[in-house]
Amino acid sequence: MFSLKRKGDYRLQLTRTLKKPGRHKVELYLFTPHESNFSAWPIAEEHFFFNILNHNFGLMGLPDKDRATKADSSFSLLSPHYEIKFGSWFFQYQASMGRLRQQLQSPPATAETLARALRLSQNFAQRLRNSAPKQSKQQRYFRQMDIYFSWHAEQFFLESMTLEAFAEVDEELKQSVIEFLRQEQKYRKEQQYQSDFQGTPTRIWNRMNLYHRLLEYPVLLRAKLTALGSGTQKLVKAASTMLIMSLFTYFLFNVRDASQKLSLTLLLGIALIYAIRDLLRDDMISKLTRMLRKGKPRWKIRLFMPYTKKQLAQQVVWVDYRKLPDLPAVVRERSGNWATNEERHIICYRTLLNLDKGALEKDEIRERLTLDCEQLCAMIQASHDKLFVCADEKDPFGSIQALPIEKQHDYNLLLVHTEPGQPQENAQRWRLRLGAKGIVQFESKKAYWPEQEA
């Protein structure tokens, strides 16, 4: 199952772990709201794929089964083995903390969840700091990971302390959490990390995001993208050129037979035909190519191991805009509870990943979908309406207050996914509330999907 997390004002991140080789299918449907003026024209399909949606994969390592595996540090003698191993360990830790954060935010939150997060953080800190490297390149990577881990763990526990469930935690666990945070502050001071934690909140956040990108680079699978359909487009282009030139030649010979003189009107007619051809040709080729390739994938992506460039998986991708009657039958039937307008566009992103068996011998694979809602928020028009209320209950009409109204749009995000050896699909749904300044709220909703048979 995917977990949803907010990243900044505009971005949402969907994450899951792949543990089985084979064919993994993911379908993402973004139902646009009734209030918006969304259409396929403002955001092209290619623009949505390359700029709004980011789909990537990373190495996470395997859960350690014995102490010998944890104690083995022979890989750290050379780069990039150190960066790949510790990077995959860290993102395995980060994925576990993400699942625990989701459990804490979904009632009923338990003290055991918080205690487990504390144990995970303490164990990872000990493993990381007991394996400090000596090479300069590795030291730089270690420093970035040490700083980011300390900040990430601190943010998790500070966020946990703001939840209502934290008040119900026993005093001993509270003190353990506070003691861990104090130790991290002391450790940062000893290692002279303080400068990385100073500045405005925006500057600190951007700096930590930079560290995160640098840390994940050695463990991200390298993607080589190939656009499909170029052969079909060339054939359509050649056929359209042949047809237009045949008609033009036929017209020209008939005109020559009717009149032996080359008049100005004939020259203008020829120029007009060429102008109409150049004006309509690209649109005609594009539409004919789309018709011939309807239902076929748009891109093929090959995923390679970092540094060694060994191919681990192959992915094919579809992106298109549909209306409710054009959706698959099962999606159309199940989405009738929240999507009733048949004229609204629905963004459909589908992908089929064929993961090789060798890809999971040493690592689990982290799959991550990032949705950037900034351009969707930019489409929300500013509202100048105001709500007038009585400010004083004792003297209702003595003081009148005008409250501005912020216009918001509700999107429904449906995610349907299938794992190898699983005949039935799983579905998850979230409602996204967007405002002009970013994401206002997102919450999990019932997908009304058939449950799997036991």
Side-chain angles (χ1 to χ4, degrees):
M1 302 295 281
F2 283 86
S3 61
L4 182 64
K5 180 182 177 183
R6 181 172 177 169
K7 300 287 287 185
D9 292 334
Y10 295 100
R11 290 187 299 154
L12 291 170
Q13 197 173 88
L14 290 153
T15 310
R16 71 167 175 174
T17 303
L18 302 180
K19 301 179 181 180
K20 297 180 182 179
R23 295 162 67 91
H24 296 263
K25 183 180 179 182
V26 175
E27 298 179 1
L28 183 147
Y29 299 94
L30 187 62
F31 293 79
T32 60
H34 303 295
E35 301 86 356
S36 72
N37 56 353
F38 184 89
S39 68
W41 296 108
I43 302 178
E45 296 168 359
E46 293 82 0
H47 183 80
F48 178 84
F49 176 68
F50 288 105
N51 299 97
I52 295 180
L53 187 70
N54 182 23
H55 193 177
N56 59 42
F57 301 84
L59 305 175
M60 287 186 61
L62 291 174
D64 294 318
K65 298 179 180 179
D66 50 40
R67 294 184 179 180
T69 306
K70 296 181 180 180
D72 183 17
S73 59
S74 59
F75 61 85
S76 64
L77 297 177
L78 296 172
S79 293
H81 305 288
Y82 177 87
E83 290 85 347
I84 293 175
K85 195 67 177 181
F86 268 91
S88 61
W89 277 353
F90 175 73
F91 288 109
Q92 184 183 0
Y93 158 80
Q94 192 179 35
S96 299
M97 295 293 280
R99 288 190 292 268
L100 294 175
R101 175 186 279 109
Q102 195 172 26
Q103 293 176 17
L104 284 173
Q105 294 176 345
S106 304
T110 62
E112 177 59 30
T113 304
L114 186 62
R116 189 180 173 208
L118 182 61
R119 289 195 301 270
L120 278 173
S121 300
Q122 290 172 337
N123 292 339
F124 186 84
Q126 184 178 7
R127 179 196 294 188
L128 175 66
R129 291 161 186 172
N130 287 345
S131 305
K134 296 181 180 180
Q135 295 185 20
S136 58
K137 183 179 178 181
Q138 296 174 357
Q139 286 177 350
R140 181 182 179 187
Y141 189 81
F142 168 82
R143 184 180 184 277
Q144 292 170 349
M145 180 174 290
D146 204 13
I147 292 172
Y148 186 81
F149 159 74
S150 182
W151 176 80
H152 181 272
E154 182 184 61
Q155 289 296 304
F156 178 91
F157 291 112
L158 291 178
E159 182 183 358
S160 302
M161 294 169 70
T162 63
L163 302 176
E164 295 180 1
F166 189 80
E168 302 175 2
V169 174
D170 60 89
E171 197 62 31
E172 183 179 355
L173 181 55
K174 287 182 181 179
Q175 290 302 318
S176 299
V177 171
I178 294 173
E179 181 61 26
F180 174 79
L181 295 175
R182 287 175 178 168
Q183 289 176 359
E184 285 300 309
Q185 291 179 350
K186 181 181 177 182
Y187 175 80
R188 293 199 294 255
K189 189 173 181 181
E190 292 173 352
Q191 300 297 321
Q192 298 180 351
Y193 293 162
Q194 292 297 98
S195 59
D196 291 276
F197 292 84
Q198 295 174 353
T200 63
T202 302
R203 188 170 184 178
I204 296 173
W205 184 271
N206 292 337
R207 184 184 297 128
M208 295 304 166
N209 277 341
L210 174 61
Y211 284 170
H212 184 269
R213 291 196 297 272
L214 294 173
L215 291 174
E216 72 177 359
Y217 180 79
V219 297
L220 277 181
L221 298 185
R222 305 294 188 258
K224 185 176 181 181
L225 185 142
T226 304
L228 302 176
S230 59
T232 305
Q233 186 176 15
K234 289 177 181 178
L235 288 174
V236 171
K237 187 176 181 180
S240 64
T241 301
M242 183 180 69
L243 178 63
I244 292 173
M245 293 308 297
S246 298
L247 293 174
F248 174 73
T249 305
Y250 177 78
F251 168 76
L252 194 61
F253 272 97
N254 278 275
V255 170
R256 191 194 65 174
D257 292 340
S259 175
Q260 298 293 332
K261 296 181 180 180
L262 190 64
S263 64
L264 181 62
T265 305
L266 179 60
L267 292 176
L268 290 175
I270 294 172
L272 181 62
I273 291 173
Y274 269 99
I276 294 174
R277 189 202 70 165
D278 291 339
L279 183 66
L280 302 178
R281 188 182 179 209
D282 291 340
D283 291 338
M284 182 180 65
I285 292 172
S286 179
K287 289 182 179 180
L288 288 174
T289 304
R290 284 176 178 273
M291 288 175 58
L292 293 174
R293 289 195 52 80
K294 186 176 181 180
K296 296 181 180 180
R298 300 285 300 276
W299 296 277
K300 181 177 72 174
I301 302 173
R302 289 184 292 166
L303 299 172
F304 297 90
M305 183 78 176
Y307 302 105
T308 63
K309 297 183 179 179
K310 177 185 176 182
Q311 183 170 330
L312 300 182
Q314 185 167 293
Q315 182 185 17
V316 287
V317 177
W318 294 258
V319 177
D320 51 9
Y321 293 88
R322 300 186 184 182
K323 295 185 179 180
L324 189 61
D326 301 326
L327 295 179
V330 62
V331 177
R332 185 174 63 249
E333 292 170 4
R334 301 296 168 180
S335 62
N337 295 283
W338 68 84
T340 56
N341 193 332
E342 297 186 353
E343 294 302 317
R344 288 295 167 188
H345 284 86
I346 300 161
I347 305 173
C348 305
Y349 171 79
R350 295 176 294 153
T351 174
L352 183 62
L353 176 74
N354 193 359
L355 191 61
D356 294 343
K357 187 176 181 180
L360 298 173
E361 290 179 353
K362 298 181 180 179
D363 296 276
E364 292 178 347
I365 305 296
R366 181 206 60 201
E367 181 178 10
R368 187 171 66 192
L369 282 153
T370 304
L371 184 65
D372 191 340
C373 302
E374 184 172 3
Q375 295 193 36
L376 299 178
C377 294
M379 295 170 63
I380 301 176
Q381 298 177 355
S383 173
H384 301 286
D385 298 326
K386 294 182 180 180
L387 178 67
F388 297 91
V389 297
C390 301
D392 191 354
E393 294 182 358
K394 296 180 180 179
D395 186 12
F397 305 106
S399 177
I400 306 300
Q401 189 175 5
L403 303 177
I405 303 299
E406 181 184 359
K407 196 171 184 180
Q408 299 175 352
H409 289 168
D410 285 343
Y411 286 77
N412 276 283
L413 178 65
L414 176 67
L415 197 64
V416 183
H417 48 92
T418 308
E419 295 184 359
Q422 186 182 64
Q424 195 165 1
E425 298 172 325
N426 292 315
Q428 296 173 264
R429 182 170 76 96
W430 295 270
R431 186 179 69 183
L432 315 179
R433 181 163 294 172
L434 306 182
K437 297 180 181 179
I439 301 167
V440 178
Q441 182 187 22
F442 65 92
E443 56 182 337
S444 178
K445 291 290 186 179
K446 188 176 180 180
Y448 301 102
W449 207 259
E451 296 182 359
Q452 292 189 13
E453 297 180 1

